[in-house]
């Protein structure tokens, strides 16, 4: 692991006072972590510096061809005031998998993890205290060559920024309405769907915007070939409950292998639920909601945690799930996952790194 230099800010910012109004991604802490890469030299100069603007040449390749990947993980404050991370190494390992698909260099995960920990500790006063809040950690890698030819860059910047957050959706744990997208697709076979590349999110914004204007929080993406099978929501993976059985789309290369998805499947099994990863036809999901067989739907993600889905709309038909209320399974899984993350429940799976 490389040595990380630290330059502290001389002008700390005022922290948000009202934690009930944090929302998601509005505030940023006093410092950031940076590390550069050059072909033939590898990752170098890991450093923590005051949070601030980047100076970039307008011909920097990321601005044109979008070699940009990111991650999202969180730091939680325990009731005793101590801090803990939840599976940060899984996020950094996923970044290396994203990098491989995007023809970017594998991350120096060890130095990145150490940088992440030191950065959070330096800005620890920014970790909020209220229930349901946390410090969102955003590791990102971008291509930096100044060149307009379409090929892989030879230089990259990796950085981590921190943002104190409340819930991702404005209504918190209240069930959201989701619009089933049947015109646009998010990912195709052989594409970048399984990566956390910025382009996946850029491609999703138009459909999200249209859905929002219709009164829905987000879209549910269907497969890019037949537009028949459930993929993911974009900011979260989807799960459906049939009594004590929880089903979710199988990882098929075009959906994100969510770390919260994996954690929830593990916890669900440990809690005695049956779990199944399968190809799920949206027509069957709708039929099962109509017949009452499908009892709950919820999304999972770092930002979204567990977000109950109370309504699904497709082809002008809107169906209410579980009376539009949070279901018992969603609540149980939410309580278990957040109980572990905030240190209220034992960490039997060894997912937690205590920082203080
Ligand atoms: C996350 O859950 O961390 C995400 O990256 C989803 C979204 C905010 C882009």
């Amino acid at each position: 692991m490389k040595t990380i230099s630290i330059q502290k800010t001389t002008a700390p910012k005022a922290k948000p006072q009202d934690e009930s109004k944090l929302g998601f991604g509005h505030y940023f802490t006093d410092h950031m972590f940076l590390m550069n890469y050059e072909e033939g030299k590898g990752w170098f100069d890991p450093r923590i510096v005051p949070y601030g603007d980047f100076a970039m040449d307008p011909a920097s390749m990321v601005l044109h061809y979008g070699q940009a990947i990111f991650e999202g993980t969180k730091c939680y404050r325990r009731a005793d005031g101590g801090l803990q991370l939840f599976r940060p190494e899984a996020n950094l390992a996923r970044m290396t998998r994203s990098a491989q698909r995007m023809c970017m260099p594998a991350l120096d995960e060890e130095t990145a993890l150490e940088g992440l920990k030191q950065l959070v500790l330096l800005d620890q006063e920014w970790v909020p205290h209220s229930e349901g809040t946390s410090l969102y950690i955003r590791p990102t890698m971008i291509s930096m060559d100044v060149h307009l030819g379409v090929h892989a860059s030879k230089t990259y910047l990796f950085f981590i920024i921190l943002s104190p957050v409340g819930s991702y959706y404005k209504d918190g744990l209240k069930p959201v309405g989701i619009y089933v997208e049947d015109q646009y697709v998010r990912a195709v076979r052989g594409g970048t769907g399984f990566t956390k590349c910025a382009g996946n999110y850029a491609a999703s914004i138009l459909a999200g915007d249209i859905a929002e204007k219709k009164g829905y929080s987000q879209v549910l993406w269907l497969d890019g070939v037949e537009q028949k099978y459930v993929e993911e929501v974009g900011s979260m993976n989807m799960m459906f409950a049939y009594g004590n059985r929880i089903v979710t789309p199988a990882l098929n290369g075009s959906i994100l292998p969510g770390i919260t998805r994996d954690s929830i499947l593990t916890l669900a099994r440990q809690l005695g639920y049956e779990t199944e990863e399968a190809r799920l036809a949206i027509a069957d999901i709708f039929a099962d909601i109509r017949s009452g067989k499908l009892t709950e739907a919820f999304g999972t993600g770092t930002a979204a945690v567990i977000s109950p889905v109370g309504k699904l709309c497709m082809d002008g038909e809107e169906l209410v799930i579980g009376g539009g209320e949070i279901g018992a399974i969603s609540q149980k899984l939410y309580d278990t996952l957040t109980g572990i993350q905030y240190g209220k429940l034992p960490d039997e799976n060894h997912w937690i790194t205590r920082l203080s």
Side-chain angles (χ1 to χ4, degrees):
M1 194 197 47
K2 301 171 185 74
T3 307
I4 298 166
S5 68
I6 300 181
Q7 182 201 342
K8 289 192 189 165
T9 183
T10 51
K13 295 181 275 194
K15 298 177 185 63
Q17 287 307 302
D18 186 352
E19 293 189 351
S20 69
K21 296 209 170 70
L22 283 175
F24 182 82
H26 298 294
Y27 303 97
F28 299 95
T29 67
D30 284 324
H31 298 90
M32 58 187 179
F33 173 82
L34 307 177
M35 177 161 69
N36 293 85
Y37 176 91
E38 246 177 64
E39 198 177 86
K41 183 168 174 184
W43 289 102
F44 63 96
D45 199 11
R47 59 205 184 274
I48 292 173
V49 295
Y51 186 96
D53 295 348
F54 292 147
M56 283 178 85
D57 191 295
S60 299
M61 286 185 71
V62 65
L63 301 178
H64 302 269
Y65 306 127
Q67 270 183 302
I69 53 179
F70 68 93
E71 278 299 325
T73 181
K74 282 176 172 171
C75 174
Y76 305 86
R77 195 179 282 285
R78 294 190 305 274
D80 66 5
L83 300 178
Q84 49 192 39
L85 303 168
F86 183 76
R87 307 187 72 181
E89 57 292 321
N91 287 88
L92 299 176
R94 186 172 64 184
M95 178 167 259
T96 287
R97 294 199 298 277
S98 294
Q100 191 181 29
R101 174 63 182 83
M102 301 294 288
C103 208
M104 298 167 87
L107 186 62
D108 172 350
E109 292 169 34
E110 204 191 356
T111 306
L113 183 59
E114 184 56 28
L116 185 158
K117 290 180 188 169
Q118 290 194 22
L119 179 66
V120 171
L121 280 172
L122 183 60
D123 281 347
Q124 58 181 283
E125 283 172 23
W126 286 83
V127 184
H129 294 75
S130 332
E131 202 177 323
T133 63
S134 56
L135 186 72
Y136 186 75
I137 302 168
R138 174 52 66 86
T140 307
M141 192 197 297
I142 56 176
S143 57
M144 294 298 281
D145 273 11
V146 174
H147 187 66
L148 294 185
V150 181
H151 58 72
S153 178
K154 293 179 171 37
T155 56
Y156 293 86
L157 175 68
F158 171 78
F159 59 90
I160 304 176
I161 54 174
L162 308 174
S163 175
V165 298
S167 48
Y168 185 66
Y169 294 111
K170 67 174 170 23
D171 291 330
L173 243 194
K174 216 172 134 229
V176 293
I178 300 279
Y179 186 80
V180 180
E181 178 57 51
D182 57 4
Q183 186 182 357
Y184 303 106
V185 296
R186 174 187 170 276
V188 291
R189 194 187 306 135
T192 57
F194 70 94
T195 74
K196 218 159 164 59
C197 72
N200 287 347
Y201 296 81
S204 76
I205 289 172
L206 176 61
D209 202 54
I210 295 169
E212 248 178 61
K213 291 196 174 101
K214 291 182 176 155
Y216 296 92
S217 298
Q218 296 234 342
V219 302
L220 174 60
W221 297 103
L222 301 178
D223 72 281
V225 181
E226 297 174 76
Q227 288 189 269
K228 279 188 183 163
Y229 300 99
V230 177
E231 297 249 301
E232 60 160 84
V233 167
S235 56
M236 50 192 200
N237 294 111
M238 275 303 300
M239 302 207 177
F240 303 94
Y242 292 77
N244 271 352
R245 189 164 60 94
I246 297 168
V247 298
T248 191
L251 298 179
N252 58 359
S254 63
I255 70 174
L256 188 81
I259 290 151
T260 312
R261 173 189 180 279
D262 176 71
S263 309
I264 288 295
L265 287 175
T266 303
L267 292 175
R269 284 190 286 269
Q270 291 168 347
L271 289 167
Y273 299 110
E274 205 185 307
T275 63
E276 188 185 338
E277 298 174 65
R279 193 154 86 140
L280 306 175
I282 189 67
D284 294 343
I285 296 287
F286 267 63
D288 295 340
I289 301 172
R290 285 190 212 101
S291 72
K293 275 205 302 196
L294 191 157
T295 41
E296 291 182 41
F298 55 93
T300 64
T302 297
V305 194
I306 284 195
S307 185
V309 174
K311 277 189 304 191
L312 272 183
C313 179
M314 181 172 66
D315 289 338
E317 181 187 14
E318 184 182 272
L319 296 181
V320 173
I321 306 165
E325 301 295 327
I326 179 163
I329 295 180
S330 315
Q331 185 74 58
K332 177 77 185 162
L333 290 169
Y334 177 87
D335 291 343
T336 307
L337 178 69
T338 57
I340 295 166
Q341 289 170 333
Y342 288 92
K344 292 181 202 155
L345 292 177
D347 171 31
E348 279 158 15
N349 298 297
H350 309 290
W351 285 334
I352 295 295
T353 302
R354 278 187 170 223
L355 289 182
S356 61

